[in-house]
Amino acid sequence: MSQHLLLPFVILAISPIPGALHDSALSPTQEEPEDLDCGRPEPSTRIMGGSEAQPGSWPWQVSLHQRGGHICGGSLIAPSWVLSAAHCFVTNGTLEPATEWSVLLGVHSQDGPLDSAHARAVAAILVPDNYSSVELGADLALLRLASPARLGPAVRPICLPRASHRFAHGTACWATGWGDIQEADPLPLPWALQEVELRLLGEAACQCLYSRPGPFNLTFQLLPGMLCAGYPEGRRDTCQGDSGGPLVCEEGGQWFQAGITSFGFGCGRRNRPGVFTAVAPYEAWIREQVMGSEPGPAFPTQSWEPQPSPWEPTDENCTIALPECGKAPRPGTWPWEARVMVPGSRPCHGALVSESWVLAPASCFLDPINSDLPRDLDNWRVLLPSRPRAELVARFMPHENASWDDTSDLALLQLQTPVNLSTALRPVCLPHPEHYFLPRSRCRLARWGRGEPEPGPSTLLEAELLGGWWCHCLYGRQGESVPPPGDPPHALCPAYQEEEEAGRCWNYSHWSLLCQEEGTWFLAGISDFSSGCLRPRAFYPLQTHGPWISHVTRGAYLEDQLTWDWGPEGEETETQACPPHTEHGACGLRPEPAVMGILWPWLAEVHVAGNQVCTGILVAPGWVVAATHCVLRPGFTTVPYIEVYLGRAGASPLPQGHQVTSAPPLLCQTEGGSWVLMGMAVRGSQELFAAIGPEEAWIAQTVGEAHFLPPNGYPHWPPEGSDLCPADLARASGSPQAALLLLLLLLPLIQG
Ligand code: 4AZ
């Protein structure tokens, strides 16, 4: 099994907006009034989860350009001074030269002509001596402009708070910037300034949210000089490219800069609010740097005493946000189940992924011959649980690779009107790309695409997730081409809880795989039709499509992993010494040539209650191993009458009326040529085996003389990244509980 490697999320900002204009005329110095008026936008008129700002509504917002592109935000605090974040200018501990930077003032859209905008060269960049990295605080910088900004309606400074200034917890403030609109999703053209309302979070609340286990192997300590703003439920946040920009709060008609966008863990994630450099504690440092510069920044006194807001949760009653998606009161009744009705064809099953988007296979709607987009959207209807009427469809967005790549057979349908969510109607959770579904996770099959109605009892739809290597080696050998585990995974394999009835065909073979974490269901994978009659062996993981889904839907939320306890690293294989020769002869060796047509001298026919036959394996002179389910039938309270025949398995026909229970053992040949019993088939499966290894102690104790394989003879796990399956592991076990029974053979039977 591959242990998933989660690298700490890269949190620092630097995504140039290509081709953005810079360095227009550097305008001459202007006379400025003595006491600088600050924090007052001209009366008139993303950041993630925000919206486009009114041009001119944040006149202190500046864009910092390097090599022709936007890198960071900043705020004008005086005609010659811009406040920003240190991490924008420090690379590997070295401060970048000021000459590489320019400041764009009075700009709204970075695409069009910069009418009211003008640019300034940077004369100096000042960073606190104690700045080393964002997590350690002091993430602020001052930029001295080569010539003062020309103030006007679109260019004005923001007010700075004094050290004594207090911003009440829960205050609604605003962050602005040209940063990504969600993780890995840059602001689209025309690169217009975005704004988002964020609430100030108290230290205790912020630390409490961050203490919830989550992505990025997080041990985050909120330090003095930092502040948090955002929401426990996430969704609205600053993101990459917003760094250095201001977080401003209004007080009595005047705007103060409370924070500088510094960092965060991802963007808009639940329980991961944005972290800002608090400006007030740096009053002295700022004053020191700008000393002698006239006019300097304005630090108006706070006009009122803020009341502590009851909004702030304390350490004791700190409430983290729980996911809103993926709750199903009764598994099997899925509150996100959507049926898309297109005239002239059977309903197509999909899943509700947000208030207004349904995900479904694109193949339901795309004509394979001419891959034209469907035109008759007006006649499409979507049926959702607990909705009295069908929904109308406004847009159909197939995945760009949908027609030729099975793994991308996906389309998003936008509902004309968003639906009101309830316990009976809610979206399924979608995994982030780095999501790691633990092997042994509880999963279910749910309908996907077009197909027959329910195929049988719901237990047939239950499954447990297999580890990545098992998936690759087990099913890869069956011509299903399951790639080795990767990060993100290339396939997700379920092990089913119940057998498939022999001969029965599941016409409905297109499924989605829902996997549960802490009671919350994630849409983990989708299958194609290649599995034919069987339930799918491997699912295409959905997580790779998370960014496409959130890009198209602008807001379908990717839910963080809920289970972070991954147990011990890696998986170990135990081995034990076993001499190939014992006083009783050799174990695991076949006579050459085959004696009397018997290929497998250790095979035993186990006859149960006179009419049932299953396979046993002779492991020692007086002992045969058989699968428990083969010998003990459900409902039996006593061990039935059992006979064992040796030395004839497969050689002579079975008496009439005998029923053969399939419980094949898994034998693997070592390099030394010995055959080793690796597993016994799990109830109902021809492909899943209960591993013998974990039962070794029990077998050794019971049997005494069973022979275990020497370490060097053991089939080994291939190193991570290699494409080799263990030799002869054509059929092997997932992790189902071992189901073995040792039969004590009576000597006369053996001799007979
Ligand atoms: C960044 O990289 C960045 N969600 C800024 C803010 C946040 C995350 C990243 C907070 O600039």
Side-chain angles (χ1 to χ4, degrees), residues 88-130:
C88 296
F89 313 98
V90 177
T91 327
N92 300 329
T94 311
L95 190 63
E96 289 169 8
T99 48
E100 287 185 4
W101 292 85
S102 59
V103 175
L104 237 65
L105 302 121
V107 59
H108 176 67
S109 158
Q110 299 217 24
D111 178 32
L114 302 179
D115 288 341
S116 58
H118 56 287
R120 287 288 180 276
V122 177
I125 301 174
L126 312 171
V127 165
D129 290 337
N130 62 342

Side-chain angles (χ1 to χ4, degrees), residues 10-14 87 237-243 261-268 272-275:
V10 181
I11 46 172
L12 296 186
I14 15 203
H87 81 253
D237 197 3
T238 50
C239 201
Q240 191 166 3
D242 292 322
S243 284
T261 300
S262 177
F263 72 110
F265 295 85
C267 303
R272 297 289 179 264
V275 183

